[in-house]
Every structure is written in C-alpha cells, then in structure tokens.
C-alpha cells in the first residue's frame, strides 16, 4: 500500500501543496461566470422593462434603458449628451424637483412623486410618476437611480372624468355599502348639500323614511347583483326634507366585483312631472269644454272621424264613442250629397280657406236634418291632412226660413195677381189688402214665435219683458220671471225619438198656457226650456200658487202612440225689483234658481236668493281648488266602524273620503265636494286613489300586527261605469298584495240599475276577483228584483232615512221589516246606517239586522284612531 501511494499523482507528499490553489481558481472562475450571467440578466431586464430606468450623476445622464428614450423621443446617444434640465419644462422646475428630492435621497429614503411634467424632444409634455433612490446616500456624487412611468394618458383620462363629473347636469353619486363615497356638484345642488358635506354618510339621507330606504334596497340591490342596471322614476328627499322627483339609474362599478360599489345617476324631472300633470289637466278641461259645447265638434282624417264630442254623438243619435272610426260618407244620405261635399271642401281647403256650407245629413236611425258645417285644416300646408269640423243643427232655422220664403212668394204672387186685376176688380181690393195683412201677420208671427209650439220665442219674450219692466217701474207693481226646464226630457227624446219629443213639447206648451192667466206670457227658449212672465204680481205667495198649478198641470201623463209619457218641471222664480231690474239680470237669476230646483230633487220650484250667488261662488272656489287637491295630497281617509249587532264587536270599516282644503285644519264636508267631483269627472282618479290608499292602509295595519277587517269602499255611478275600473282594481290588488276578500264595494241602487246587462258583467268581473259587493242606500232608489237576484251582491244597507224615525214611525219599522224579509229570502246580509240611539239599535236587533253603524258606536275616525280601535279589538279577542 505504501509503494502504491508513492507512485500515484495524489500521493501524501504532493496533496497538501497543489489541491488548495486549484480549488481557489475554480471558485473564482465560477464567481466570475455568475457575475457575467447576472450582468446579462440585468441588461435584459433594463432593455425590456415597461418603465423608464435612468441612472443620473449630478448634472448629467449616466445611463438609461430604451424605454426612457422611447418616452422622451431621444436616442440613447442623444439623451446621454443632455443635461437633465433639458427634459424639464424650465430650469426652475428642475431646481424645484432637486430641492424636493434631495433631503429624502440623502436620508436613504425612497422619493416618490405621483406625477411630474417632462418635455419630449418634439416639445410636447409628458406626465410621469417618479420613484428614485440614491446609490450611496452619503455621497451625492455616487448618483441616483430613477424609475419613470408614463401616466400621461391616465392623467388625461382622470381630467376628462373629473370634467364630466363637474359639468354633468345629472346628479352622480358613488356608493359603497350604501355609504356615499363621492358625488358631483350637480348632485350637491339638487339635494342641497355643500361640497363634501354628505361624504361618508348613509344614503338613508335621500329617502323619505326608514321604510322607503329599506324597500328600495330590497328592490334595487338584488337586481344589481344579477348584473342588471336598475332604472326607475322615484321620489327622494332633499336636505331640507322637500321631495324631489326624478329618473334614478344605478350601475355596478364592476359587475365582476360588486363589493367595489355602485354608481347612481339622478335626473331631476320635477318640471317634466309638473308639465305632464298640467297637460293632463288641460286635456281634461278641454274634454269637458268639448263635451259641454252646444255645437258638434269632430276631428277628421282621410275621410274617417277620429273622435268627436258628445254633442256630435247626440246630433247623429250615436252612443258614447260610437262615432269614433266612422267614415264621414256614412253621415250623408246618398253618394251624390257626399261627392258634392267633397268637391266643395277640397276647393276651399285648396284655397287655404275655412269651408262653411249647409248640407243635408243622415242620423243613425235614418232620419235627416240640415246642418251648418264649418271645417278647417290643422295644417294649411297639408291639404289632405287632419281637419276639425264644427256642426250646428239648423233644421229649425231652415224650416222657418223656408216657411217665410214660401209665405213671401205666396204673398208676392197674390199681390201680382191682384194688381193685374185691380183695374177691373176694385171691389176685391179690400179683400186683397186683408190677405196681405194676414200674410204679413203670419211672417211676423213666425219671426217672433217658436215654429214647433207657436209660443213666443226669445226675441218676443225679451220685448214683452222689457215692456213689463217699464210698466212695473211706472206703477210700482211687481212682476215675476219663471224659468222652467223639463226633467229628464232628453231620456224620452233619445229613447222614443224626436217625433215623440216634439209631441210632448207641444202638449207641455198647451198645458202651460192653460195654467196661467191670459195676461201672462209663456215662451219657449229652445229645447226643453220655457219661460213664464207674470206681470202685475202681488208677491212670492202668488208666484208659488202659479208654480204649484204648473206642476199639477204637468203631473198628468201624456198619452202618445201607446206610450204614457211622464214629465216634471224644475222651476226657478225671480221677482222684480227684489232680485233685479233689467232683462238680463232677471233671466240670469231665474236660471240660477231653476238649477237650484234641480239640485233640490227636481219637480219643484225655488225662488232666487242671494245665497244662490254665494253658493255659486263657493262652488266655483271649491271646483278650482279640487283640481289640484289630489296632487297636493289634501285628501285623507276616515274609517267608520260597522259592528256586529249580536256581539257588538267590530265587523268592518267603511272608508269615507275627507278633504282638508289647502292643507288647513278644517275639513270640507263630502256633500259639498263629492258632487263636484262627479260632475267634472275627477271622481275617477280620486276614486282610484281612495281604493289604492285604503288597500295600502289595511296592509300597513296587518304589518303592525293589527286585526284584518273588511273595508267597505263606496263606488260612484260615474266611477263604476268607467272603462278602466276593472283593470284598475286588478292592478291595485296585484301591487298592494291585499286579500281581495277584505275589500267590499258599495254601490247605490240607481248606479246598479242604469245600465242593466253591462252592470251585471262588471259586477261579475269584480266578484270573480274575490271582492265583495253591497247595495248602498237601499230603498231610496228603484230596484228590479229580477236584476237584484242575479247581481252577485252579498249585503244591502238600509238608508239612514228609514232608521232616523224608527222608534216613532210605524211605517219605517214596516219598511225595515220588509227589507229584512227580502234580504233573508235572497240570503243577503243587512247593514243599518245612521244608528244613533240604543232604542234604534234594539229595534234593529229584534228585526234580525246583522250589522249596524252610526254615531251610537263611533264617528268616522282618522287612520291613527282607527288603528287604536283595531288594536283594542285584538286585545279583546285575546282576553276571551
């Protein structure tokens, strides 16, 4: 083993000398190689880095990567020769950056600047984010390494976004977790917040209450979470609590990360909403004007009637809406008349003129009448476009004119004949003169008398009234003017025809003349309006006697062609000089008194009272204020309990509408404003509001844990027959979620019986939705038992008129007993209204009346007090 060791190169004697040196050389070579690799890797990083990297010594660029050259637009060689100040906007900018960076670099820290401007070779500006660190903080001359990131595009985008936010006309709000992070000036102006005042606050500040805040979140944010933008028109509140209405749009900031927040944009639409309401009101007003116009008005396009007013439908004997879409050709009796009208109309429209002419037209039932047509184009430049037409029935005038013309022609012929014979027939001269005088008398009579009845017309009445006034002023005596209108004459005229109506008018004129003195004047103003002039009258008592006589004279039926016609008058009486001293005032006051008579139930007379003027002024004021009451939220609902007569427990609540005019503390009585709503058609939107609000109220009570009792809601006749009623009810049920069995609609007998089959169909639809029906004011109208047993009603209400004197009147007790018997036979429940005494209550119970309401139990209560009543009812039920 020793010999082997001495021959081997790695012998024991040589190993300690050669092995360490060799190892050190290999380690140095390896270190040198790794250093070269690191340098190559660093150069590759520098040359391919997406940011600029530059090494500077004081006052010079030492080295840089290609990206910084690309940013500034220089080659590497060009940039190496530049002084750093050459890439700054000015020497002052350079010195400012050095002064700002040096303390940080000298302390060994990292200097960062979010953005700083530099000048490119072409003179344009580049904004960059800077990060710098000293190579040796203790030796400035060791230099600095700078990292430069081009943020020019990002900065420009931020500037543009900020400009959009600042100048946007819509309010923009950035929200995270329903906390306001940022908003633009438009939002601050809209909602009344100063810059920054609302930052960090919950979005609850723009909602009316906590419930609205919660409901909106429950609706909007699940939709946004599905990636669907949220849009709605809604009402929010400003800082001062005032409401603001507008379009609200919401978007996720990043649909892939909902936690980043949402962007909300709000466009103030208060003016548009106000304009829409004003436009709707204007359309309703215009429709009311059209429907009450004395002329027929229609809009025509391409030979078809698009729509018209009720007077036009009346003239042609068409039902409501029946003329819409009717060809104009159908209004003419034959093709020749239609062709002539077309030619003449085209000639006038072609000349840019209004076309006015008289034509013979045909009603739906085939009868013909003469009408004066006046038409004009909406746009004179479009001769085949839409046009509006006014139509006036001139049949009576033409007949009068024809009669006058025939009389005149006859007179002229006879005068000519007699003149030719004058020389040889002097004996007949007096006869000819008499005939001429008679003809003139006929002409004069036709000019001053009504052609249908032969009574004095308006012109002759005016003359006689003027003469009577002068005589009264001379002798100090009084005179009276009685204005008479036939009740429901239009129903007879429309249902039985104009011939029947004309016969009835002639007979009425005959009976009126027979009922007054020979010195009195009976005149017909037109239609079913008559005036009786009573000169030399002693006073109101004598006038009342004449009025009673007239009412009695017209009470007897008028037989005609197998019909027994019944008619009654409404009479207004005005005395001179007590109520006026001139023709116009007396006629106007008598007319006002007549309308008062109609309001008092018809078939009566009323004397003019100054209070009528005050009442008219009061009515005008109420009607004007009513038009904005719904928009101003001046209506409120009260609730009157209906109790079970057996247990005296709460059974239901009747919903009663109240009006707090102008937001005052005083409530306007329903008897004052509901008839106005009926007449002007506003009962339809107000009635829909009542139904919706009542349903929302009972749902709110249920949400508070209160007992659920049925609500009895009144439907007016006009509201009941409105085409959109059923759809409105169905919509309200769906939107409020109320149990339909908790809603009970009350209709009067008169409303139910007006339209027969159509009424039955509407009732079936309402009943089919699960809502209940009852008949209100039972016994005060007229009911057909055949219909009553077919109507799906479950309850009838005995009118308070039969309950008021129940204790003292055997007749009222008999009526109540009869109603109960009828209800039991039809399996209907009965509610008695107006119960005020324990005696009435006991009698009703004894007759088997199941339910009652009235001041004995409670007056109508506001919603808050009604809620207390419901709460006490729940407690009572628990105790039992």
């Amino acid at each position: 083993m020793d010999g082997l060791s001495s021959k081997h190169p790695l012998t024991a004697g040589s190993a300690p000398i050669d092995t360490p040196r060799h190892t050190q050389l290999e380690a140095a070579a390896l270190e040198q190689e790794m250093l070269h690799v690191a340098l190559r890797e660093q150069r590759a990083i520098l040359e391919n880095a997406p940011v600029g990297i530059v090494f500077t010594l004081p006052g010079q660029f030492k080295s840089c990567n290609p990206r910084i050259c690309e940013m500034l637009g220089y080659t590497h060689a060009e940039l190496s020769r530049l002084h750093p100040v050459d890439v700054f906007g000015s020497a002052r900018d350079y010195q400012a950056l050095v002064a700002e960076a040096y303390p940080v670099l000298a302390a060994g820290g990292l200097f960062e600047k979010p953005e700083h401007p530099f000048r490119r070779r072409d003179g344009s500006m580049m904004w960059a984010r800077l990060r710098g660190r000293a190579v040796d903080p203790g030796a400035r001359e060791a230099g600095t390494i700078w990292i430069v990131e081009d943020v020019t595009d990002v900065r420009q985008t931020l500037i543009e976004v900020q400009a959009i936010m600042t100048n946007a006309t819509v309010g923009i709000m950035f929200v995270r977790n329903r906390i306001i992070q940022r908003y633009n000036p438009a939002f601050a102006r809209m909602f009344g917040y100063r810059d920054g005042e609302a930052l960090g606050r919950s979005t609850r500040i723009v909602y009316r209450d906590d419930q609205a805040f919660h409901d909106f979140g429950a609706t909007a944010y699940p939709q946004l979470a599905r990636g669907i933008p949220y849009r709605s028109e809604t009402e929010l509140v400003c800082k001062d609590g005032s409401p603001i209405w507008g379009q609200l749009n919401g978007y996720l900031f990043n649909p892939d990360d909902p936690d980043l927040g949402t962007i909300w944009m709000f466009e103030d639409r208060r003016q548009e909403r106000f304009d829409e309401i004003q436009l709707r009101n204007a359309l309703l007003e215009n429709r009311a004007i059209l429907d009450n116009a004395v002329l027929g008005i229609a809009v025509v396009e391409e030979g078809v009637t698009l729509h018209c007013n009720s007077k036009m439908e009346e003239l042609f004997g068409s039902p409501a809406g029946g003329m819409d879409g009717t060809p104009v050709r159908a209004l003419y009796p034959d093709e020749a008349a239609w062709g002539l009208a077309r030619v003449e109309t085209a000639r006038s429209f072609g000349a840019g003129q209004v076309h006015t002419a008289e034509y013979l037209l045909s009603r739906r039932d085939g009868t013909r009448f003469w009408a004066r047509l006046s038409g004009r184009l909406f746009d004179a430049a479009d001769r085949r476009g839409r046009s509006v037409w006014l139509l006036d029935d001139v049949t009576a005038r033409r007949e009068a004119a024809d009669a006058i013309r025939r009389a005149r022609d006859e007179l002229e012929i006879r005068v000519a004949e007699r003149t030719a014979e004058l020389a040889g027939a002097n004996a007949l001269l007096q006869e000819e003169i008499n005939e001429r005088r008679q003809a003139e008398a006929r002409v004069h009579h036709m000019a001053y008398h009504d052609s249908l009845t032969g009574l004095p017309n308006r012109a002759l009445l005016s003359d006689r009234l003027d003469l009577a006034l002068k005589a009264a002023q001379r002798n100090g005596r009084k005179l009276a003017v009685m204005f008479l209108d036939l009740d429901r004459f239009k129903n007879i005229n429309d249902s039985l025809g104009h011939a029947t109506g004309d016969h009835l008018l002639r007979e009425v004129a005959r009976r009126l003349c027979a009922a007054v003195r020979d010195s009195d004047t009976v005149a017909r103003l037109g239609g079913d309006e008559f005036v009786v002039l009573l000169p030399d009258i002693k006073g109101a008592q004598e006038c009342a006697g004449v009025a009673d006589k007239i009412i009695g004279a017209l009470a007897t039926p008028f037989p005609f062609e197998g019909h027994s016609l019944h008619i009654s008058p409404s009479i207004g009486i005005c005395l001179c000089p007590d109520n006026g001293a001139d023709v116009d005032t007396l006629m106007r006051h008598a007319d006002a008194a007549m309308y008062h008579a109609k309001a008092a139930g018809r078939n009566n007379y009323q004397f003019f009272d100054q209070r009528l003027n005050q009442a008219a002024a009061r009515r005008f004021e109420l009607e004007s204020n009513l038009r904005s009451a719904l928009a101003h939220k001046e209506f409120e609902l009260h609730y009157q309990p209906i109790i079970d007569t057996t247990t005296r427990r709460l059974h239901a609540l009747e919903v009663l509408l109240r009006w707090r005019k102008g937001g005052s503390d005083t409530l306007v009585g329903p008897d004052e404003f509901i008839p106005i709503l009926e007449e002007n058609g506003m009962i339809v939107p107000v009635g829909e509001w009542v139904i919706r609000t009542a349903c929302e109220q009972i749902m709110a009570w249920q949400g508070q844990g209160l007992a659920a009792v049925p609500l009895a809601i009144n439907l007016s006749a006009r509201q009941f027959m409105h085409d959109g009623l059923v759809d409105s009810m169905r919509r309200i049920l769906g939107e409020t979620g109320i149990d339909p069995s908790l809603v009970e609609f009350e209709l009067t007998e008169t409303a139910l019986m007006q339209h027969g089959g159509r009424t039955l169909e509407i009732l079936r639809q309402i009943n089919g939705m699960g809502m209940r029906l009852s008949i209100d004011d039972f016994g005060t109208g007229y009911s057909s038992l055949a219909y009553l047993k077919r109507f799906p009603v479950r309850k009838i209400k005995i009118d308070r008129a039969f309950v008021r004197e129940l204790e003292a009147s055997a007749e009222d007790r008999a009526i109540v007993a009869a109603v109960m018997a009828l209800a039991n036979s039809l399996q209907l429940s009965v509610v008695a209204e107006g119960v005020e005494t324990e005696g009435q209550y006991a009698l009703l119970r004894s007759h088997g009346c199941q339910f009652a309401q009235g001041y004995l139990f409670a007056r109508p209560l506001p919603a808050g007090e009604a809620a207390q009543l419901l709460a006490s009812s729940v407690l009572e039920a628990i105790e039992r």
Side-chain angles (χ1 to χ4, degrees), residues 453-492:
T453 63
L455 295 177
N457 60 13
R458 187 185 297 271
L460 183 53
L461 173 65
S462 180
D463 289 344
R464 291 189 180 179
L465 182 53
D466 187 54
L467 292 174
L469 282 172
K470 292 177 181 178
Q473 292 170 359
R474 288 194 303 268
N475 57 32
R477 300 291 297 271
K478 293 185 177 182
L479 66 86
V481 176
M482 305 176 71
F483 202 107
L484 185 149
D485 184 88
L486 301 182
D487 302 327
R488 300 184 179 89
F489 171 76
K490 185 176 182 297
N491 293 339
I492 296 175

Side-chain angles (χ1 to χ4, degrees), residues 522-808:
V522 178
R524 180 187 178 218
L525 299 186
D528 58 349
E529 293 179 340
F530 296 85
V531 171
V532 179
L533 172 60
L534 306 176
D536 293 330
I537 204 79
K538 294 179 181 179
Q541 187 173 0
E542 189 174 353
C543 291
V546 175
D548 285 330
K549 193 174 181 181
I550 290 175
I551 292 174
L554 299 185
T556 304
F558 296 80
F560 180 68
E561 294 184 351
H563 297 285
S564 181
L565 308 178
H566 295 265
I567 201 72
S568 62
S570 293
I571 305 172
I573 306 174
C574 176
L575 292 173
C576 171
D578 300 354
N579 308 132
D582 60 81
V583 174
D584 291 339
T585 302
L586 290 172
M587 292 291 289
R588 186 171 63 255
H589 287 176
D591 188 31
M594 182 273 293
Y595 277 104
H596 185 52
K598 280 191 176 294
R602 297 183 172 89
N603 197 25
N604 70 96
Y605 59 86
Q606 297 291 330
F607 286 91
F608 176 77
D609 190 319
Q610 191 59 37
R611 289 174 299 176
L612 294 179
N613 277 348
Q614 297 172 356
R618 166 72 170 169
R619 179 184 177 87
F620 178 77
E621 177 194 2
L622 291 177
E623 184 169 7
S624 299
N625 291 328
L626 272 173
R627 294 191 180 278
S628 59
L630 187 59
H632 292 168
K633 300 180 179 178
E634 297 176 5
F635 291 119
E636 60 186 61
L637 298 183
H638 285 202
Y639 303 85
Q640 185 173 30
I642 301 174
I643 62 101
D644 187 316
T645 58
T646 304
T647 63
R648 208 150 177 162
R649 293 282 305 280
L650 178 64
H651 166 69
L653 293 171
E654 180 174 6
V655 180
L656 301 171
L657 179 63
R658 296 293 184 263
W659 178 26
R660 201 173 294 279
K661 184 166 74 74
S664 65
D665 294 334
T666 303
L667 289 175
V668 180
D671 291 342
E672 283 193 82
F673 71 87
I674 288 182
I676 299 175
L677 293 177
E678 287 275 7
E679 290 182 13
N680 61 19
M682 288 180 60
I683 192 66
V684 174
V686 172
E688 182 175 348
W689 177 87
V690 169
I691 299 172
R692 180 179 295 278
T693 304
C695 292
E696 291 173 348
Q697 181 63 72
I698 200 168
M699 293 302 293
W701 283 338
Q702 286 185 296
Q704 298 168 14
L706 300 178
V709 298
L711 294 182
I713 304 173
N714 290 284
L715 283 181
S716 73
R718 187 160 187 173
Q719 184 184 7
F720 178 68
M721 296 311 301
H722 187 262
D723 291 339
L725 175 66
V726 174
D727 291 338
S728 172
M729 290 179 178
R730 188 174 288 111
R731 184 169 57 253
I732 291 172
L733 288 179
E735 293 175 357
T736 62
I738 190 172
D739 182 354
S741 65
L742 294 178
V743 181
E744 180 178 291
F745 290 112
E746 296 184 358
L747 295 99
T748 64
E749 287 181 276
T750 303
L752 284 172
M753 295 303 164
Q754 279 183 346
H755 297 280
R758 184 181 178 191
T759 297
L760 182 59
E761 177 58 29
I762 295 174
L763 292 177
R764 284 174 176 168
Q765 292 187 51
I766 296 174
N767 188 62
M769 287 188 278
M771 294 179 284
R772 302 174 183 270
L773 297 161
S774 64
I775 301 177
D776 196 11
D777 299 339
F778 189 79
T780 61
Y782 57 94
S783 295
S784 166
L785 295 181
Y787 270 116
L788 186 58
K789 69 178 183 180
R790 295 171 58 195
F791 288 158
V793 297
R794 304 188 183 184
K795 188 182 296 181
I796 58 178
K797 300 187 77 173
I798 302 176
D799 187 75
R800 66 184 68 247
F802 304 122
V803 176
R804 187 181 302 113
E805 302 296 331
L806 191 60
E807 296 175 84

Side-chain angles (χ1 to χ4, degrees), residues 88-98 116-117 125:
F88 282 76
S90 64
R92 181 181 299 174
D93 290 344
Y94 172 70
Q95 294 299 334
L97 180 64
V98 171
H116 192 278
M125 297 302 297

